[in-house]
Amino acid sequence: MNGAAQPRVVIIGGGTGLPVLLRGLKRYPVDITAIVTVADDGGSSGRLREDLNIPPPGDVRNVLAALSDVEPLVEEMFQHRFATSNELSGHSLGNLILAAMASITGNFTHAIQEMSKVLNVRGKVLPAATRSVVLHAEMEDGTVVSGESKIPYSGKKIKRVYLTPSDVQPLPETLQAIRQADMIIIGPGSLYTSILPNLLVKKLGQEVCRSKARKVYICNLMTQAGETFGYTASDHVQAIYKHMEYPFIDTILVNNEEIDEHIQLRYKEELAHPVKYDTERLEELGIQVVHKEIAVQDGTALRHDTKKVSAILYSMIVEETNKRGNS
């Protein structure tokens, strides 16, 4: 990039999709800021959140590990989950370290900053909000399910999701990163429980909508029972727009690879199917559609191919930076 400052990329998400993407993207000369949801209330994260009154550390831990540049054994230790029959059971060491660091520094954000130094993290990791939030889903029949971990299991169709407290604040650094971004990447991740909890932090969502950066949405490979059953790619986008009340996505990256029959059968048991990309509808929404072979089999699971996706994103970033340089 001719010795110029690295392009600034903000990535918003949570769950398992975000770390997969970051592992690939950190190999490129880009300045990464990952904004991570704090709505998780299940497993080790939920227990620590409850017991210690800190934001849930799990998604943050996974992102720190993905962006870390340490010996594999150190990363493995950080990600180690205890399988004992006592109170440690189910806890990941990284979650406990983040909880300890939050206690020592008196601040969860400081804890992340200190752990970033220890793990030699490439980029910046920021929680979406300064404190834990509770995610609620209003279902089409009017009932409300509270708690991120419970929403996918309600067996009902989601009408909308919302946060309490509704006035939760993002960090000033988060807003600054969004303002300075050359590109904002949303996803991949569960639509209602990983993507929207970030954008529903009011000032954060407003800043994303306002940003002049190119905004790229990475669409999920498969639908999710309890969240997006039967959704097409445009249904995902319209659910985001319905919550944000503003159309802001410039580009969508979708998978156009044929998915193996045996993988589809396995997902069928979970009532999940490949997401159909309805190009015409997406283009009607004013979105540039990029369809590539971006799926990879990971055992019996399907994941985004971190190398392919990050290469596609980097070429978009270079294109964007050149365009700005020439304008």
Side-chain angles (χ1 to χ4, degrees), residues 162-196:
Y162 60 95
L163 302 177
T164 55
S166 59
D167 62 348
V168 67
Q169 296 295 311
L171 294 160
E173 300 99 293
T174 305
L175 299 181
Q176 183 78 344
I178 294 167
R179 278 183 208 124
Q180 294 177 340
D182 295 297
M183 182 177 280
I184 296 171
I185 298 164
I186 296 154
S190 301
L191 176 63
Y192 289 105
T193 52
S194 288
I195 304 293
L196 280 166

Coordinates of all heavy atoms in Angstrom, one line a residue, residues 162-196:
Y162 N -35.1 -6.8 20.8 CA -34.8 -5.5 21.4 C -33.9 -5.7 22.7 O -33.9 -6.9 23.2 CB -36.0 -4.7 21.7 CG -37.0 -5.3 22.7 CD1 -37.0 -5.0 24.1 CD2 -38.0 -6.2 22.3 CE1 -37.9 -5.6 25.0 CE2 -38.9 -6.8 23.1 CZ -38.8 -6.5 24.5 OH -39.7 -7.1 25.4
L163 N -33.3 -4.7 23.1 CA -32.4 -4.8 24.3 C -32.9 -4.1 25.5 O -33.6 -3.1 25.4 CB -31.0 -4.1 24.0 CG -30.2 -4.6 22.8 CD1 -29.0 -3.6 22.6 CD2 -29.8 -6.0 22.9
T164 N -32.6 -4.6 26.7 CA -32.7 -3.8 27.9 C -31.3 -3.8 28.6 O -30.7 -4.8 28.6 CB -33.8 -4.3 28.9 OG1 -33.5 -5.7 29.1 CG2 -35.2 -4.2 28.3
P165 N -30.9 -2.7 29.2 CA -31.5 -1.4 29.1 C -31.5 -0.8 27.7 O -30.5 -1.1 27.0 CB -30.7 -0.5 30.1 CG -29.4 -1.2 30.2 CD -29.6 -2.7 30.0
S166 N -32.5 -0.1 27.3 CA -32.6 0.4 25.9 C -31.6 1.5 25.7 O -31.3 1.8 24.5 CB -34.0 0.8 25.6 OG -34.4 1.8 26.5
D167 N -31.2 2.2 26.8 CA -30.3 3.3 26.6 C -28.8 3.0 26.8 O -28.0 3.8 27.1 CB -30.7 4.5 27.5 CG -30.6 4.0 29.0 OD1 -30.4 2.8 29.3 OD2 -30.7 4.9 29.9
V168 N -28.5 1.7 26.7 CA -27.1 1.2 26.9 C -26.2 2.0 25.9 O -26.5 2.2 24.8 CB -27.0 -0.3 26.8 CG1 -27.2 -0.8 25.4 CG2 -25.6 -0.8 27.3
Q169 N -25.0 2.4 26.5 CA -24.1 3.2 25.7 C -22.9 2.4 25.1 O -22.4 1.5 25.7 CB -23.5 4.3 26.6 CG -24.5 5.3 27.1 CD -25.2 6.1 26.0 OE1 -24.5 6.7 25.2 NE2 -26.5 6.2 26.1
P170 N -22.5 2.8 23.9 CA -21.3 2.2 23.3 C -20.1 2.9 23.9 O -20.2 4.0 24.5 CB -21.4 2.4 21.8 CG -22.2 3.6 21.7 CD -23.1 3.7 22.9
L171 N -18.9 2.4 23.7 CA -17.7 3.1 24.1 C -17.4 4.2 23.1 O -17.6 4.0 21.9 CB -16.5 2.1 24.1 CG -16.5 1.0 25.2 CD1 -15.5 -0.1 24.8 CD2 -16.1 1.6 26.5
P172 N -16.8 5.3 23.6 CA -16.4 6.4 22.6 C -15.5 5.8 21.5 O -15.5 6.2 20.4 CB -15.7 7.4 23.5 CG -16.2 7.2 24.9 CD -16.5 5.7 25.0
E173 N -14.5 4.9 21.9 CA -13.6 4.3 21.0 C -14.3 3.6 19.8 O -13.8 3.5 18.7 CB -12.6 3.3 21.6 CG -11.8 3.9 22.7 CD -12.4 3.6 24.1 OE1 -13.4 4.1 24.4 OE2 -11.7 2.8 24.9
T174 N -15.4 2.9 20.2 CA -16.2 2.2 19.2 C -16.8 3.1 18.2 O -16.7 2.9 17.0 CB -17.4 1.4 19.9 OG1 -16.8 0.6 20.9 CG2 -18.1 0.5 18.9
L175 N -17.4 4.2 18.6 CA -17.9 5.2 17.7 C -16.9 5.8 16.8 O -17.0 6.0 15.6 CB -18.7 6.3 18.5 CG -19.9 5.8 19.3 CD1 -20.5 7.0 20.0 CD2 -20.9 5.0 18.5
Q176 N -15.7 6.1 17.4 CA -14.6 6.7 16.7 C -14.1 5.7 15.6 O -13.9 6.1 14.5 CB -13.4 6.9 17.7 CG -12.2 7.6 17.2 CD -12.4 9.0 16.9 OE1 -13.5 9.5 16.9 NE2 -11.3 9.8 16.7
A177 N -14.0 4.4 16.0 CA -13.6 3.4 15.0 C -14.5 3.3 13.8 O -14.1 3.2 12.6 CB -13.4 2.0 15.6
I178 N -15.8 3.4 14.1 CA -16.8 3.4 13.0 C -16.7 4.6 12.1 O -16.7 4.5 10.9 CB -18.3 3.2 13.6 CG1 -18.4 1.9 14.3 CG2 -19.3 3.4 12.5 CD1 -19.6 1.7 15.1
R179 N -16.5 5.8 12.7 CA -16.4 7.0 12.0 C -15.2 7.0 11.1 O -15.2 7.6 10.0 CB -16.2 8.2 12.9 CG -17.6 8.7 13.5 CD -17.4 9.9 14.4 NE -18.5 9.9 15.3 CZ -18.4 10.0 16.6 NH1 -17.2 10.0 17.2 NH2 -19.4 10.0 17.4
Q180 N -14.1 6.4 11.5 CA -12.8 6.4 10.8 C -12.7 5.2 9.8 O -11.7 5.2 9.0 CB -11.6 6.4 11.7 CG -11.5 7.6 12.6 CD -10.4 7.5 13.6 OE1 -9.9 6.4 13.9 NE2 -10.0 8.7 14.1
A181 N -13.7 4.3 9.8 CA -13.5 3.1 9.0 C -13.6 3.4 7.5 O -14.3 4.2 7.0 CB -14.6 2.1 9.3
D182 N -12.8 2.6 6.7 CA -12.9 2.6 5.2 C -13.9 1.6 4.8 O -14.5 1.7 3.7 CB -11.5 2.3 4.6 CG -10.5 3.4 5.0 OD1 -10.7 4.5 4.5 OD2 -9.5 3.1 5.7
M183 N -14.0 0.5 5.6 CA -15.0 -0.5 5.4 C -15.6 -1.1 6.7 O -14.9 -1.2 7.6 CB -14.4 -1.7 4.6 CG -15.4 -2.8 4.2 SD -14.7 -4.1 3.2 CE -14.7 -3.3 1.6
I184 N -16.9 -1.3 6.6 CA -17.6 -1.9 7.8 C -18.1 -3.3 7.3 O -18.9 -3.3 6.4 CB -18.7 -1.0 8.4 CG1 -18.1 0.3 8.9 CG2 -19.5 -1.7 9.5 CD1 -19.1 1.4 9.2
I185 N -17.7 -4.3 8.0 CA -18.2 -5.7 7.7 C -19.1 -6.2 8.8 O -18.8 -6.1 10.0 CB -16.9 -6.6 7.6 CG1 -16.0 -6.2 6.4 CG2 -17.4 -8.1 7.3 CD1 -14.6 -6.8 6.5
I186 N -20.3 -6.6 8.4 CA -21.3 -7.1 9.3 C -21.4 -8.6 9.1 O -21.8 -9.1 8.0 CB -22.6 -6.4 9.1 CG1 -22.4 -4.9 9.5 CG2 -23.7 -7.0 10.0 CD1 -23.3 -4.0 8.8
G187 N -21.2 -9.4 10.1 CA -21.3 -10.9 10.0 C -20.0 -11.5 9.7 O -18.9 -10.8 9.8
P188 N -20.0 -12.8 9.5 CA -21.1 -13.7 9.6 C -21.5 -14.0 11.0 O -20.7 -13.9 11.9 CB -20.6 -15.0 8.8 CG -19.2 -15.0 9.1 CD -18.7 -13.6 9.2
G189 N -22.8 -14.4 11.2 CA -23.2 -14.7 12.6 C -24.7 -14.9 12.6 O -25.4 -14.5 11.7
S190 N -25.2 -15.4 13.7 CA -26.7 -15.5 13.9 C -27.3 -14.2 13.8 O -27.0 -13.2 14.5 CB -27.0 -16.2 15.2 OG -26.3 -17.4 15.3
L191 N -28.3 -14.1 12.9 CA -28.9 -12.8 12.6 C -29.5 -12.1 13.9 O -29.1 -10.9 14.2 CB -30.1 -13.0 11.6 CG -30.9 -11.8 11.2 CD1 -30.0 -10.7 10.5 CD2 -32.0 -12.2 10.3
Y192 N -30.4 -12.8 14.6 CA -31.1 -12.1 15.7 C -30.3 -12.1 17.0 O -30.5 -11.3 17.9 CB -32.4 -12.8 15.9 CG -33.4 -12.5 14.8 CD1 -33.8 -13.4 13.9 CD2 -34.0 -11.2 14.8 CE1 -34.7 -13.2 12.9 CE2 -34.9 -10.9 13.8 CZ -35.3 -11.9 12.8 OH -36.2 -11.6 11.8
T193 N -29.3 -13.1 17.2 CA -28.6 -13.2 18.5 C -27.2 -12.8 18.4 O -26.5 -12.7 19.5 CB -28.8 -14.6 19.0 OG1 -28.4 -15.6 18.0 CG2 -30.2 -14.9 19.4
S194 N -26.6 -12.6 17.2 CA -25.2 -12.2 17.2 C -25.0 -10.8 16.5 O -24.2 -10.0 16.9 CB -24.3 -13.2 16.5 OG -24.1 -14.3 17.3
I195 N -25.8 -10.6 15.4 CA -25.6 -9.4 14.6 C -26.4 -8.2 15.1 O -25.9 -7.2 15.5 CB -26.1 -9.7 13.1 CG1 -25.3 -10.8 12.5 CG2 -25.9 -8.4 12.3 CD1 -23.8 -10.6 12.3
L196 N -27.7 -8.5 15.3 CA -28.6 -7.4 15.7 C -28.3 -6.8 17.1 O -28.5 -5.6 17.4 CB -30.1 -7.8 15.6 CG -30.6 -7.6 14.1 CD1 -31.9 -8.3 13.9 CD2 -30.7 -6.1 13.7

